Amino acid sequence: MGSSERMGASSKPANAPSQAAPEKQYGVTKAISMAGPTVADLKRTKKLEKFLADSGLYEGNEEASKRLEVLQRLEQIVKNWVKQLTRLKGYTDQMVQDANALIVTFGSYRLGVHGPGADLDTLCIGPSYVNREHDFFFTLHEILACVDEVTELQPIPDAHVPVMRFKFDGISIDLLYASISRLVVPEELDISDVSVLHNVDEPTVRSLNGCRVADQILKLVPNVEYFRTTLRCLKYWAKRRGLYSNVTGFLGGVNWALLVARVCQMYPNAVPSMLVSRFFRVYTQWRWPNPVMLCPIEENELGFSLWHPRKNPRDRTHLMPIITPAYPCMNSSYNVSTSTLRVMMEQFEHGNKICGDIDMNKSCWRALFEPYLFFEGYKNFLQIDIVAADVDDLRNWKGWVESRLRQLTLMIERDTFGKLQCHPYPREYIDPSKKCLHNAFFMGLQRKEGEVVQEGCQFDIRATVEEFRHSVNSYMFWKPGMDIHVSHIRRRQIPCYVFPDGLKRSRPSRSTAQLKKSPTSFHGNEVSPTEQGEKNFKRKHDNRGVRQNVVLKKHCVSPPVDSLTGGNPCLHAGDMSVHAVSDCQELKNVERTSLSNCEQDQFDRRMSPESGSESASNSSGVTSVSSNGGSSPEDVGSAPVVGFIDDSAMAVEATTSGRFEDMTYMEDSVKLGNNTLAGRNNDVLQKELQAQLEPIAMSGMFLDAKGAFDKDTVQKTVIRRLSLTSTA
């Protein structure tokens, strides 16, 4: 499973005993627990490893050999390409002979956690006189286009990290390019040396940092093999739960690797089964936006921009900072939005409960990896359909639209003042009944939890959707036939092709006893629109001077369908008004119901943060409908809305600059409560631990009067006494 880049050199022994020497510190704080595994932990680890193997997450020998052959063939192509350019640019014969280029890997392959069919992330390193704009994206592109094994060649020069994507003998490859400030690229080039960043541009730094970050991660974790098994497990979990996608506002491979590596540092002697459980325990209680860091942020005379919330106002808007360990340290998760952070926190809570059951031998690993039932979690959706004239156009068009979905989420959050939450689902679907080439994306919609439900309150996001369509249609490589259609649909209108075997999942019928109960249970200050309509409370004015005893309802007229679909006959002329986005109070995670017994409730209370502390997400739990009385699940707790918030005090235009609040960073990033696992069979319980909370080692929090880092202060970690009873 190791890569061709000799990753094994970074491995370190898990528990190398040191005689009378101080415990080695991994990361910016001391370990939370140095405890090793119990017999039960070792058994659970074996079961986990067997489950991962049975799930087909490990690459076979044949495919591994094929990857090595493809890498060698690709490296030979780029070496010949550089020699050819050297000759064309008029250099001497000796220079032509010495001209060289390297192919190095990064991402999951370099970390050693890639699986069957995974993309191969590669970087081409060339000399200073071979540029990216023309030599790479035109000359090399033409060479690759003539190679028989190369298919689906797609250059993306305007990406944040410029990339060329293609398949080489069936293996998907993402190829980046970095031109370093050397006339000859040595075969033994050390990428981890900061000197490779001298006199290079920002895209080159970002391209090189993929390899540099991977190497640093492997150096900073206590046990590489335990790290790899845990990361492989959690990447699989994230994909099953719909959280593995950086482009749509969730987390990508490097983000998950950094989160797992930090947990490995906190529990340096833990085995994978323990690390998976601790992962969910830690991040359900992490106080975002405090950063996750593997090492202190390093400054250098090269002067590249660092993640620095004190100096860079944009960095203050980051909701879930996960900082890369290689210079220049950056936030790898800047794409995360309020809505996607909420979804991830809810899924972390779910994983934490399942792992609690596994630790108490009440569940098995398979339960943790049950797929997320996205289409059963919401009552309202946005459906984004795209079409194109041919396969190549659809691939380019789909990549562009998918990269803009995050902007649609941000626009909706902005224009509804955060009251309407979005859940972009990172998966594409194809309608086999359409004659033209087609892809569809879906986005779940729900009212923010805790908002008062009032009959007639509506979210009018048609202008937002039209703004999104306009930005998408500004694609610089647009071609005739490329079109996009966005429509609002209810759950009952979900097309059959999104379900396995094209069959909709049947919903359980309610018993007569359930129908006799109260219509809907609401949390906190939420008010049932049915109850409000029946009781007709006569509060004259609220604090905004809005009368509440009148049923406020707006009827919005949908814009002409032709103007929104562009007249494309392949796109169904659906409901583009995006109306009736009702309050989603239905069960979002159906599998959570199996955890609602008394023992699990006691476990949840012990695993939750201290009372009165700030919530780590917008929604601390999933609102469920425990007893509904009504004709259908679609009508329960529904506020028929067109999208317009009928509140005169809120009827103002959304500001474009105030999208996020200015974040205040806490003194501690993760708070672990009194975690007592009931019903454990383990014999050894640890005593109370002195746990280190994440120090504010981020940029700007330890600066002296001259604006330089005060290293002495960085070393003084914030120690907080925890009453942690754990079988760690």
Side-chain angles (χ1 to χ4, degrees):
M1 248 63 78
S3 79
S4 62
E5 301 307 315
R6 300 173 293 279
M7 291 181 296
S10 301
S11 301
K12 296 184 179 180
N15 303 321
S18 56
Q19 299 177 355
E23 294 178 352
K24 182 174 181 179
Q25 176 175 311
Y26 295 93
V28 292
T29 63
K30 294 181 181 178
I32 289 178
S33 172
M34 297 296 296
T38 64
V39 174
D41 291 322
L42 293 174
K43 289 182 179 179
R44 279 192 287 268
T45 296
K46 288 184 178 180
K47 290 181 180 179
L48 174 61
E49 291 172 342
K50 183 179 185 303
F51 175 82
L52 297 178
D54 293 343
S55 300
L57 299 186
Y58 293 91
E59 185 180 52
N61 293 331
E62 183 177 349
E63 187 174 356
S65 299
K66 184 177 180 180
R67 284 183 188 271
L68 289 175
E69 293 175 3
V70 167
L71 283 173
Q72 293 170 359
R73 179 74 196 282
L74 181 60
E75 187 168 46
Q76 190 59 49
I77 290 174
V78 299
K79 287 180 183 295
N80 294 336
W81 162 65
V82 169
K83 290 182 180 294
Q84 175 185 335
L85 287 174
T86 306
R87 184 179 292 106
L88 291 175
K89 291 176 183 289
Y91 288 94
T92 64
D93 291 342
Q94 184 61 43
M95 278 289 294
V96 173
Q97 183 178 348
D98 295 339
N100 190 31
L102 298 179
I103 289 290
V104 295
T105 60
F106 62 98
S108 62
Y109 191 79
R110 194 176 188 89
L111 290 172
V113 294
H114 62 286
D119 293 348
L120 193 54
D121 297 316
T122 57
L123 169 67
C124 175
I125 302 177
S128 57
Y129 55 85
V130 177
N131 62 59
R132 179 186 300 103
E133 292 73 17
H134 183 270
D135 297 334
F136 179 74
F137 278 112
F138 287 92
T139 307
L140 182 59
H141 178 272
E142 292 177 359
I143 293 174
L144 290 173
C146 297
V147 177
D148 293 338
E149 296 93 335
V150 174
T151 58
E152 300 181 18
L153 186 58
Q154 179 187 10
I156 312 177
D158 56 340
H160 185 64
V161 181
V163 60
M164 192 143 51
R165 290 176 175 166
F166 54 93
K167 286 187 177 180
F168 198 115
D169 199 11
I171 294 179
S172 298
I173 293 179
D174 286 356
L175 180 62
L176 313 182
Y177 180 70
S179 174
I180 62 175
S181 57
R182 299 191 185 186
L183 289 177
V184 178
V185 179
E187 284 288 340
E188 64 280 0
L189 179 68
D190 183 9
I191 302 177
S192 62
D193 193 333
V194 74
S195 64
V196 300
L197 302 180
H198 281 281
N199 298 322
V200 299
D201 58 12
E202 290 280 354
T204 298
V205 173
R206 290 192 289 267
S207 299
L208 287 167
N209 257 15
C211 306
R212 289 163 48 79
V213 166
D215 289 345
Q216 279 295 103
I217 291 174
L218 294 174
K219 291 177 182 178
L220 292 172
V221 295
N223 186 298
V224 171
E225 290 307 316
Y226 289 171
F227 162 75
R228 286 173 174 162
T229 301
T230 307
L231 178 56
R232 192 183 296 273
C233 168
L234 286 163
K235 285 180 63 176
Y236 182 53
W237 173 82
K239 292 175 181 179
R240 297 284 285 178
R241 306 300 295 179
L243 305 177
Y244 195 88
S245 173
N246 183 275
V247 69
T248 54
F250 293 105
L251 302 181
V254 67
N255 309 126
W256 292 107
L258 291 170
L259 291 180
V260 171
R262 185 68 189 106
V263 174
C264 291
Q265 291 179 337
M266 292 175 174
Y267 301 90
N269 296 329
V271 294
S273 65
M274 300 167 64
L275 292 171
V276 171
S277 176
R278 289 354 176 234
F279 177 92
F280 292 112
R281 185 183 303 177
V282 167
Y283 291 118
T284 53
Q285 300 174 66
W286 195 273
R287 291 182 176 179
W288 305 108
N290 286 285
V292 171
M293 314 171 64
L294 302 185
C295 59
I297 290 179
E298 172 190 355
E299 281 197 332
N300 192 284
E301 67 277 1
L302 294 178
F304 286 109
S305 176
L306 302 172
W307 185 76
H308 202 313
R310 284 286 177 86
K311 289 185 177 180
N312 304 326
R314 178 174 294 183
D315 292 345
R316 299 177 202 153
T317 68
H318 296 167
L319 303 180
M320 193 181 188
I322 303 173
I323 311 304
T324 56
Y327 176 83
C329 299
M330 307 174 184
N331 177 22
S332 62
S333 53
Y334 60 88
N335 276 351
V336 173
S337 68
T338 302
S339 292
T340 53
L341 177 59
R342 170 189 61 84
V343 173
M344 286 188 283
M345 292 304 298
E346 290 174 352
Q347 292 300 317
F348 288 162
E349 292 278 0
H350 171 73
N352 190 33
K353 291 182 178 181
I354 296 294
C355 284
D357 274 0
I358 294 174
D359 288 344
M360 292 185 287
N361 298 319
K362 293 170 58 179
S363 187
C364 60
W365 287 113
R366 185 174 300 277
L368 181 64
F369 300 96
E370 287 295 323
Y372 176 60
L373 304 177
F374 173 73
F375 292 103
E376 295 185 12
Y378 296 89
K379 292 195 297 185
N380 294 274
F381 302 85
L382 285 183
Q383 178 176 338
I384 299 97
D385 294 284
I386 61 172
V387 295
D390 57 46
V391 175
D392 292 335
D393 287 352
L394 181 63
R395 181 169 55 252
N396 297 335
W397 183 232
K398 177 185 67 177
W400 167 251
V401 173
E402 188 176 17
S403 71
R404 307 303 296 176
L405 290 179
R406 185 179 74 93
Q407 297 300 321
L408 177 57
T409 301
L410 296 177
M411 290 175 183
I412 293 175
E413 290 176 353
R414 176 199 67 194
D415 293 347
T416 63
F417 305 95
K419 291 187 176 183
L420 183 61
Q421 295 176 329
C422 311
H423 180 175
Y425 197 54
R427 181 177 174 182
E428 63 192 56
Y429 296 89
I430 299 175
D431 186 354
S433 65
K434 290 188 180 295
K435 297 181 180 179
C436 54
L437 296 171
H438 164 265
N439 276 121
F441 300 95
F442 292 86
M443 184 179 292
L445 301 174
Q446 73 169 16
R447 191 188 305 270
K448 181 180 179 181
E449 184 177 352
E451 289 295 318
V452 175
V453 179
Q454 183 179 3
E455 187 175 359
C457 286
Q458 303 172 343
F459 295 108
D460 189 352
I461 59 174
R462 291 174 298 173
T464 308
V465 169
E466 185 59 23
E467 179 186 353
F468 167 73
R469 291 186 64 257
H470 180 75
S471 67
V472 167
N473 286 327
S474 64
Y475 181 45
M476 62 184 303
F477 299 107
W478 184 90
K479 293 182 180 180
M482 293 180 177
D483 211 341
I484 180 172
H485 175 61
V486 184
S487 57
H488 164 252
I489 61 172
R490 288 177 178 263
R491 185 191 291 125
R492 61 175 174 267
Q493 299 169 312
I494 295 173
C496 292
Y497 61 79
V498 307
F499 297 99
D501 303 323
L503 299 175
K504 288 188 177 182
R505 187 184 300 270
S506 60
R507 295 186 60 80
S509 59
R510 293 189 180 87
S511 63
T512 305
Q514 286 178 316
L515 294 176
K516 292 180 180 180
K517 294 183 180 180
S518 59
T520 309
S521 62
F522 289 83
H523 283 265
N525 62 347
E526 295 179 352
V527 181
S528 168
T530 307
E531 293 177 355
Q532 182 155 347
E534 291 175 353
K535 297 181 180 180
N536 192 19
F537 294 117
K538 296 184 179 181
R539 289 176 292 175
K540 293 184 178 180
H541 301 280
D542 66 358
N543 57 352
R544 301 189 188 100
V546 181
R547 294 183 61 86
Q548 298 294 325
N549 60 334
V550 180
V551 177
L552 303 174
K553 193 170 184 179
K554 293 280 187 181
H555 295 279
C556 297
V557 180
S558 300
V561 173
D562 291 340
S563 66
L564 297 170
T565 62
N568 194 315
C570 293
L571 294 176
H572 176 64
D575 178 13
M576 266 301 300
S577 62
V578 196
H579 61 277
V581 182
S582 60
D583 182 38
C584 182
Q585 296 296 334
E586 294 206 23
L587 186 63
K588 288 173 55 184
N589 292 327
V590 178
E591 58 273 40
R592 279 179 178 265
T593 57
S594 63
L595 300 170
S596 58
N597 52 58
C598 295
E599 293 184 1
Q600 186 62 46
D601 289 342
Q602 295 175 1
F603 176 77
D604 292 344
R605 286 193 290 271
R606 295 187 182 103
M607 298 294 286
S608 64
E610 298 174 8
S611 60
S613 63
E614 292 190 71
S615 174
S617 68
N618 296 327
S619 171
S620 60
V622 176
T623 303
S624 63
V625 180
S626 58
S627 58
N628 299 321
S631 57
S632 71
E634 294 289 334
D635 299 328
V636 174
S638 173
V641 291
V642 180
F644 186 88
I645 304 176
D646 205 352
D647 188 338
S648 60
M650 297 299 292
V652 295
E653 292 185 5
T655 58
T656 58
S657 60
R659 186 171 299 169
F660 302 111
E661 295 180 359
D662 187 2
M663 297 302 176
T664 302
Y665 291 85
M666 326 295 183
E667 288 185 349
D668 44 74
S669 299
V670 58
K671 181 173 66 175
L672 300 178
N674 185 8
N675 300 330
T676 304
L677 304 184
R680 299 289 295 266
N681 296 323
N682 302 323
D683 297 325
V684 180
L685 291 177
Q686 290 191 22
K687 297 180 180 180
E688 292 186 355
L689 302 174
Q690 293 241 353
Q692 274 66 22
L693 298 176
E694 197 80 10
I696 312 302
M698 51 183 254
S699 300
M701 300 311 291
F702 290 117
L703 299 176
D704 58 22
K706 296 181 179 179
F709 281 95
D710 186 349
K711 296 182 179 179
D712 293 335
T713 309
V714 174
Q715 297 301 322
K716 296 178 181 179
T717 58
V718 179
I719 302 176
R720 182 171 179 175
R721 183 178 298 274
L722 301 178
S723 175
L724 175 62
T725 306
S726 172
T727 55

